[in-house]
Each structure stands twice: as C-alpha cells, then as structure tokens.
Amino acid sequence: LPSWHAHPDVWLVLGGIWGQYLLAVRRHRGRIPADDVRERRRTWFFSLGMLTLWVASDWPVHDLAEGYLFSVHMIQHLLYMLVAPPLLIAGMPPWLLRRFLAPAPIRVVFRFLTRPIVALVVFNGVLLFIHWPAIVAAQVDSELAHFAIHLLTVAASLIMWWPVMSPLPEMPPLSPPGQMMYLFFQSLAPTIPASFLTFGSSILYPAYAAFPRIWGISVHSDQLVAGLIMKLGGGAVLWGFLTAIFFRWHAREERDGWDALQLQHVEREVRTELTKR
C-alpha cells in the first residue's frame, strides 16, 4: 500500500458536516420523545453515510485511486454514487431537510432536479462526464478539479436517489412499481461506459498508464477490472435495491389486502346483526 499520510482537508470537510448534523439533531431532541427510535436510526444511517465518504476519500482508497489503479478509482466512485447517498438520505430528518429547502429558489430548483426523468438525465450525464478521459486526467492533475468532481458526483447521486428514498411527504418518492422501473432504467445506463472499459483494446486513460504499477496489475487488466466493477458492482447494488423494494411492496400488498378482507368480513357481520334486529 502507499505510505500513510494525512488528508486534513477530508477530515475538516467531512468532520465539519458530520459535527453540524449531530449538533442540530442534539438540539432538536429536546422537542421529541426520548425513545423515538426513528430519530436514532436516522442518526446511525447518516453516520454510516459519512463514514463511507470518509473511507472513499482518505488513505488508502484515495491514494490508490488517484495515483495507481483506475479499478480502485472505480470503487471510490461507486462508494460516492451508490453507497453513501442512500445512507445519507435515509439519515436526513424531514425537519432538517425543510430548513435547507426553506428558501423558495432552492426549493423550486431542487424539486425540478429530483423529478425522475430529470434526475436520471442529470446523474447519467454526470456519470459520462466524469469518465471522459480529459476530465479524468484533470482530476488526477489538480486537487481543485479533483474536489469539484467528487462534489459534483455526490450531489448528482443524491438527486438520483431522491425519487426512491425521499423522506418528505410534500415531495414523496415514487410508488414501488415506479421505483423498480426507475432503478431498472438506471441499471442500464452504466453498461455503456463499462463496456468500453471491459472490451476496449486500447488504453482509454493515458494518465493511469503513466502511474507506477503495483501488485503486478497491468494497465489493460486494471482497465478491464474497472469496467467489471462498474457493471457488476453497480448492477448488484441497484438490483439489490430493486429486489428489496419488490419484496417489501409484495408484503405490504398482502398485508393490506388481508386487512381489507377482514374489514369486509366485519362489515358483513355488522350488517347481518342489524338486519336481524
């Protein structure tokens, strides 16, 4: 592994966001029951999301991704796109989100960007943009470009996940069938850049060809593995969510259907008793 060295910018940015969140939650807890399980669960989800961002942004993932292996760079981006954002949204209390969305211009823009079609276009446009060879080269050459691209990636990913996981009743998520269709289309888009990486015979990212080789992994093998990680790893996460949504929807439909039948049965019994009287 590359020798350890500190990334104080990562600690400062992520630690500051996490600390502000915990402070806001602590102040709010005086207004809710002490045994509110949902609030504690949200805190854990948000903390796991921040921990995921920290793992992806610090040593050794950051160092391997930005100076050695494009395959680790792909793992880093999957953490930014498909792991951290749903955890962060699951950890955001509605009252805190309403504070962020209180200014009308921010609320209008956010509502537009999180429409399902718009969110798909924005996310996949960003996905193709950040994997353009010139952008990848700029990212590894400039710390400012590197930070901006990662910020753009996380922001676009939060927008993409919103139609599936929105916690706001006034901006509700899609219905379960809509969520499954949405994630199905989302699972198709990354196969395009993944195919170029997996089946391409030329080196798409010369910047990584110039980096030192470690662990005996050639440039071409590194590129092939990156494509497989994007296609198989990304597909596994999206289809895992899709499957969970299906089974949860099926269980709810069975439960609600059983309740409806029970209510109909009770109603018939009441009517029968009234008729007898």
Side-chain angles (χ1 to χ4, degrees):
L1 292 175
S3 58
W4 182 88
H5 67 278
H7 293 279
D9 52 340
V10 173
W11 302 348
L12 181 64
V13 172
L14 297 183
I17 295 172
W18 195 7
Q20 288 295 316
Y21 170 87
L22 294 176
L23 182 61
V25 169
R26 182 177 180 180
R27 288 175 177 173
H28 185 76
R29 277 183 178 163
R31 310 173 194 172
I32 60 175
D35 59 345
D36 193 325
V37 177
R38 289 179 302 174
E39 287 294 324
R40 292 201 300 269
R41 187 183 298 125
R42 288 192 187 107
T43 303
W44 277 107
F45 277 132
F46 190 88
S47 298
L48 286 174
M50 294 304 300
L51 180 62
T52 303
L53 290 179
W54 174 71
V55 169
S57 305
D58 207 347
W59 179 91
V61 175
H62 172 275
D63 300 72
L64 289 170
E66 306 306 325
Y68 294 92
L69 297 173
F70 188 70
S71 53
V72 180
H73 173 93
M74 190 62 68
I75 293 173
Q76 182 186 50
H77 277 215
L78 287 184
L79 293 174
Y80 285 145
M81 294 186 293
L82 301 181
V83 181
L87 289 170
L88 294 175
I89 295 176
M92 288 296 288
W95 56 266
L96 187 56
L97 283 168
R98 291 188 183 104
R99 288 186 189 176
F100 289 129
L101 300 175
I106 295 177
R107 186 169 60 254
V108 170
V109 171
F110 187 77
R111 189 183 294 272
F112 171 76
L113 290 175
T114 53
R115 292 176 180 176
I117 300 299
V118 177
L120 277 177
V121 172
V122 168
F123 177 78
N124 289 288
V126 170
L127 179 67
L128 294 175
F129 173 75
I130 63 176
H131 288 98
W132 197 262
I135 300 302
V136 172
Q139 180 177 341
V140 298
D141 291 338
S142 167
E143 280 296 324
L144 181 60
H146 168 248
F147 175 78
I149 290 169
H150 283 181
L151 182 63
L152 177 65
T153 302
V154 175
S157 303
L158 289 170
I159 290 170
M160 187 276 285
W161 282 103
W162 187 268
V164 177
M165 303 193 64
S166 169
L168 291 179
E170 61 269 30
M171 298 176 64
L174 293 167
S175 65
Q179 292 177 23
M180 289 189 290
M181 185 175 295
Y182 177 83
L183 290 177
F184 171 74
F185 284 117
Q186 180 55 54
S187 69
L188 298 178
T191 59
I192 299 173
S195 298
F196 283 106
L197 291 169
T198 305
F199 301 110
S201 57
S202 60
I203 302 302
L204 296 180
Y205 301 107
Y208 278 86
F211 288 151
R213 311 316 305 165
I214 60 173
W215 305 336
I217 301 176
S218 67
V219 179
H220 191 269
S221 297
D222 182 35
Q223 181 175 288
L224 185 148
V225 171
L228 292 176
I229 289 171
M230 174 182 274
K231 185 172 183 178
L232 300 180
V237 173
L238 292 172
W239 277 91
F241 268 89
L242 197 151
T243 304
I245 291 168
F246 172 78
F247 281 108
R248 186 173 59 185
W249 174 46
H250 179 266
R252 190 179 69 185
E253 288 295 311
E254 281 197 336
R255 183 183 66 249
D256 293 346
W258 181 86
D259 289 343
L261 290 175
Q262 288 294 100
L263 288 174
Q264 290 174 8
H265 178 66
V266 171
E267 184 181 0
R268 283 196 298 268
E269 288 184 348
V270 170
R271 288 182 178 178
T272 302
E273 289 297 325
L274 291 175
T275 303
K276 289 179 180 179
R277 293 180 183 180

